[in-house]
Amino acid sequence: MKYVYLILFYFLSFTSIAQTDDLYQFWNEYDFSKDISQNWVLQFDAGFVTSSTAEYENIFHNITQVYVRGWAHYYLNQKWKFSVFASNYSNKNVPELNQKKAREFRTGLQATYSLFQLPSIKVNLRARFEDRHMETDENYQEAVERFRFQIKAVCPLSTFGIETKKIYLFGSDELFFKTKSKVSGPDFFDRNRASLGCGFELSTVKIEMAYVNEIMPRSGSDKLVNAFQIKGIFNNFFSDIAKSFKRKKSAVDEGDGDLK
């Protein structure tokens, strides 16, 4: 029992000494997907981030990140979805990078699992491995590996007496771990990201709005990000000469925000 008290004492002492830099950001992303078959879906997304700084509290003070990303998703069955992506990032004044600018090429593998689903709530687990190659001040690409683990719950508002399944609430928490590097720093634990928001589904279009709280423990000065996020999701957006295929949604989709 004494070891528990020692750990708590150490944690409280550390948090009281460490400084915290607060940042306020606006995240927005636009996702475009195309069903190829019952098992395969292609996706393209793009977005950018604006942020306050230590000197200016305006959430739109400057653009800190712009990115584009391409995905391929494979649905093994009702419970499992496997994904691969490649992306390009333009980073500027991003809090976790130890320099002003860093171009980044990122690839990743992802697995999503439908943990359980009830009429009132659907829960997914997600694991992602990212291979990040970031440009250093010496103009060479440094490799950084990152591991992410997320739990996400989706709750249709019809649960609360509203006669529609087109509106839903969602919440998630995600842990990030990374390898040590010159650009991203010596810390193994990268951050904790928690979000709470709501989504609106209109035919093939969904709009999601969320508040995101991100804590990044760092030596000397921790980073705390408060972000407002907007995401536009356009299913089967890309037209085709042949008749468009419409995939039947599975359990793993519902836990990610798609509602039947």
Side-chain angles (χ1 to χ4, degrees):
M1 191 68 181
K2 64 178 181 180
Y3 296 107
V4 176
Y5 289 123
L6 286 173
I7 293 171
L8 288 173
F9 176 77
Y10 173 79
F11 177 77
L12 292 173
S13 300
F14 175 80
T15 54
S16 63
I17 293 172
Q19 288 184 319
T20 301
D21 294 334
D22 294 341
L23 292 172
Y24 301 91
Q25 296 184 345
F26 172 66
W27 300 355
N28 70 115
E29 182 176 291
Y30 307 95
D31 299 352
F32 305 89
S33 68
K34 174 65 177 175
D35 296 341
I36 303 301
S37 68
Q38 183 58 35
N39 298 105
W40 287 98
V41 175
L42 298 181
Q43 179 183 325
F44 171 81
D45 55 51
F48 67 90
V49 175
T50 64
S51 178
S52 66
T53 64
E55 297 79 18
Y56 301 95
E57 293 186 356
N58 186 352
I59 192 174
F60 303 107
H61 176 65
N62 59 5
I63 296 177
T64 61
Q65 189 177 72
V66 179
Y67 63 91
V68 293
R69 181 168 52 195
W71 292 83
H73 304 286
Y74 176 72
Y75 288 80
L76 180 64
N77 51 40
Q78 283 283 316
K79 290 282 191 177
W80 284 100
K81 178 176 73 172
F82 297 96
S83 309
V84 59
F85 73 83
S87 59
N88 187 67
Y89 285 73
S90 177
N91 298 313
K92 180 181 179 182
N93 292 322
V94 179
E96 67 268 28
L97 302 183
N98 297 325
Q99 60 188 71
K100 291 297 183 182
K101 295 182 180 179
R103 283 204 161 274
E104 177 184 349
F105 180 71
R106 186 185 305 182
T107 56
L109 300 173
Q110 179 173 285
T112 308
Y113 176 70
S114 174
L115 185 62
F116 66 86
Q117 60 171 331
L118 301 172
S120 58
I121 190 170
K122 298 118 182 8
V123 177
N124 274 0
L125 300 178
R126 190 183 77 184
R128 182 190 296 183
F129 167 76
E130 296 177 331
D131 179 34
R132 309 172 69 191
H133 291 263
M134 293 182 284
E135 187 177 5
T136 68
D137 289 330
E138 291 77 23
N139 295 320
Y140 74 89
Q141 297 290 322
E142 184 178 31
V144 180
E145 315 306 323
R146 188 162 70 176
F147 307 89
R148 303 168 54 167
F149 302 93
Q150 183 196 75
I151 181 169
K152 181 177 181 180
V154 176
C155 180
L157 277 183
S158 56
T159 302
F160 304 106
I162 300 177
E163 297 301 323
T164 178
K165 285 191 174 182
K166 300 299 183 182
I167 305 174
Y168 56 93
L169 300 177
F170 63 88
S172 67
D173 192 73
E174 188 170 15
L175 299 175
F176 294 65
F177 303 89
K178 64 177 178 60
T179 57
K180 300 177 181 180
S181 74
K182 181 178 179 181
V183 176
S184 63
D187 306 282
F188 173 67
F189 178 71
D190 189 27
R191 71 194 65 193
N192 183 84
R193 178 183 294 174
S195 66
L196 182 64
C198 61
F200 306 87
E201 187 173 2
L202 305 170
S203 183
T204 60
V205 179
K206 289 191 299 180
I207 304 295
E208 292 186 349
M209 296 180 291
Y211 164 73
V212 182
N213 179 267
E214 196 169 70
I215 301 173
M216 293 174 280
R218 296 295 184 265
S219 300
S221 180
D222 297 339
K223 310 292 184 183
L224 176 63
V225 174
N226 295 283
F228 176 67
Q229 182 181 46
I230 293 181
K231 180 184 289 188
I233 303 168
F234 304 86
N235 294 318
N236 276 319
F237 179 81
F238 300 106
S239 60
D240 199 341
I241 297 176
K243 185 177 179 181
S244 180
F245 181 85
K246 188 172 182 180
R247 191 180 60 85
K248 183 180 179 181
K249 301 300 182 182
S250 61
V252 70
D253 289 302
E254 292 191 71
D256 216 24
D258 279 318
L259 303 177
K260 290 183 180 179

